[in-house]
Coordinates of all heavy atoms in Angstrom, one line a residue:
C334 N 67.0 1.5 63.7 CA 67.1 2.6 62.8 C 68.4 2.6 62.1 O 69.4 2.1 62.7 CB 67.0 3.9 63.5 SG 65.4 4.2 64.4
G335 N 68.5 3.2 60.9 CA 69.8 3.5 60.2 C 70.6 2.2 60.1 O 70.2 1.1 59.6
T336 N 71.9 2.3 60.4 CA 72.8 1.2 60.3 C 72.4 0.0 61.1 O 72.5 -1.1 60.6 CB 74.2 1.7 60.8 OG1 74.6 2.7 59.8 CG2 75.2 0.6 60.8
S337 N 71.8 0.3 62.3 CA 71.3 -0.9 63.1 C 70.2 -1.6 62.4 O 70.1 -2.8 62.5 CB 70.9 -0.4 64.5 OG 71.9 0.3 65.1
I380 N 67.7 -3.3 68.1 CA 69.2 -3.1 67.9 C 69.5 -1.6 67.9 O 68.9 -0.8 67.2 CB 69.6 -3.7 66.5 CG1 69.0 -5.2 66.4 CG2 71.1 -3.8 66.4 CD1 69.2 -5.8 65.0
S381 N 70.5 -1.3 68.7 CA 70.9 0.1 68.7 C 72.3 0.3 69.2 O 72.7 -0.3 70.3 CB 70.0 0.9 69.6 OG 70.4 2.2 69.8
Q382 N 73.1 1.0 68.5 CA 74.5 1.3 69.0 C 74.4 2.1 70.3 O 75.0 1.7 71.3 CB 75.2 2.2 67.9 CG 76.7 2.5 68.2 CD 76.9 3.6 69.2 OE1 77.7 3.4 70.2 NE2 76.2 4.7 69.1
S383 N 73.7 3.2 70.3 CA 73.6 4.1 71.4 C 72.7 3.6 72.5 O 72.9 4.0 73.7 CB 73.2 5.5 71.0 OG 71.8 5.4 70.5
G384 N 71.7 2.9 72.2 CA 70.7 2.5 73.2 C 69.8 3.6 73.6 O 69.0 3.5 74.5
E385 N 69.9 4.8 72.9 CA 69.2 6.0 73.3 C 68.3 6.5 72.1 O 67.8 7.6 72.3 CB 70.1 7.1 73.8 CG 70.9 6.8 75.0 CD 70.1 6.6 76.3 OE1 68.9 6.9 76.2 OE2 70.7 6.1 77.3
T386 N 68.2 5.8 71.0 CA 67.5 6.3 69.9 C 66.0 6.4 70.2 O 65.4 5.4 70.6 CB 67.7 5.4 68.7 OG1 69.1 5.4 68.4 CG2 67.0 5.9 67.4
T389 N 63.4 4.0 68.6 CA 63.5 2.6 68.9 C 63.1 2.4 70.4 O 62.4 1.4 70.7 CB 65.0 2.1 68.7 OG1 65.4 2.5 67.4 CG2 65.1 0.6 68.9
M414 N 67.7 1.8 76.6 CA 67.2 0.5 76.0 C 67.7 -0.7 76.8 O 66.9 -1.6 77.0 CB 67.7 0.4 74.6 CG 66.7 0.8 73.6 SD 67.3 0.6 71.9 CE 67.3 2.3 71.4
V432 N 80.5 9.6 64.0 CA 79.0 9.6 63.8 C 78.7 8.4 62.9 O 77.7 7.7 63.1 CB 78.5 10.9 63.2 CG1 77.1 10.7 62.7 CG2 78.5 12.0 64.3
A433 N 79.5 8.1 61.9 CA 79.2 7.0 61.0 C 79.5 5.7 61.8 O 80.6 5.4 62.2 CB 80.1 7.1 59.8
A434 N 78.5 4.9 61.9 CA 78.7 3.6 62.7 C 79.4 2.6 61.8 O 79.1 2.4 60.7 CB 77.3 3.1 63.0
Q441 N 77.2 -5.8 66.0 CA 75.7 -6.2 65.9 C 75.6 -7.5 65.0 O 74.9 -8.4 65.3 CB 74.9 -5.1 65.3 CG 74.8 -3.9 66.2 CD 74.3 -2.6 65.5 OE1 74.1 -2.6 64.3 NE2 74.0 -1.6 66.3
E516 N 73.8 -0.3 53.3 CA 74.7 0.2 54.3 C 75.9 0.9 53.7 O 76.4 2.0 54.1 CB 75.2 -0.9 55.3 CG 76.2 -0.5 56.3 CD 75.8 0.6 57.3 OE1 74.6 0.9 57.3 OE2 76.7 1.1 58.0
L519 N 74.7 4.2 52.5 CA 74.5 5.1 53.6 C 75.8 5.7 54.1 O 76.0 6.9 54.4 CB 73.8 4.4 54.8 CG 73.5 5.2 56.0 CD1 72.6 6.3 55.8 CD2 73.0 4.3 57.2
K520 N 76.8 4.8 54.2 CA 78.2 5.3 54.7 C 78.7 6.4 53.8 O 79.2 7.4 54.2 CB 79.2 4.1 54.7 CG 79.1 3.1 55.9 CD 79.5 3.7 57.2 CE 78.4 4.3 58.0 NZ 77.4 3.5 58.6
E523 N 76.5 9.7 54.0 CA 76.5 10.5 55.2 C 77.9 11.2 55.5 O 77.9 12.3 56.1 CB 76.1 9.7 56.4 CG 77.0 8.6 56.9 CD 76.4 7.9 58.1 OE1 75.7 8.5 58.9 OE2 76.7 6.7 58.3
A637 N 73.7 13.5 63.9 CA 74.0 13.3 65.3 C 74.3 11.9 65.6 O 73.8 11.0 64.9 CB 72.8 13.8 66.1
K638 N 75.1 11.7 66.6 CA 75.5 10.3 66.9 C 74.4 9.5 67.5 O 74.2 8.4 67.3 CB 76.8 10.3 67.8 CG 77.3 8.9 68.2 CD 77.9 8.2 67.0 CE 78.3 6.8 67.2 NZ 78.5 6.1 66.0
S639 N 73.7 10.2 68.5 CA 72.6 9.5 69.0 C 71.3 10.4 68.9 O 71.3 11.5 69.3 CB 72.9 9.0 70.4 OG 72.5 9.8 71.4
V640 N 70.3 9.8 68.2 CA 69.2 10.6 67.8 C 68.1 10.5 68.9 O 67.3 9.6 68.9 CB 68.7 10.2 66.4 CG1 67.5 11.1 66.0 CG2 69.8 10.3 65.4
Ligands
M6R725 O1 72.3 4.4 68.1 P1 71.5 3.7 67.0 O2 72.1 2.5 66.4 O3 70.1 3.4 67.5 O4 71.3 4.8 65.9 C1 70.6 4.5 64.7 C2 71.0 5.4 63.6 O5 70.8 6.8 63.9 C3 72.5 5.2 63.2 O6 72.7 3.9 63.0 C4 72.9 6.0 62.0 O7 72.2 5.6 60.9 C5 74.4 5.9 61.8 N1 75.0 7.2 62.2 C6 74.8 5.6 60.5 O8 76.2 5.6 60.4

Side-chain angles (χ1 to χ4, degrees):
C334 299
T336 292
S337 301
I380 310 175
S381 174
Q382 184 284 129
S383 63
E385 298 294 350
T386 301
T389 309
M414 261 181 245
V432 166
Q441 292 165 353
E516 175 60 10
L519 177 66
K520 284 289 88 77
E523 70 180 328
K638 183 66 184 162
S639 91
V640 183

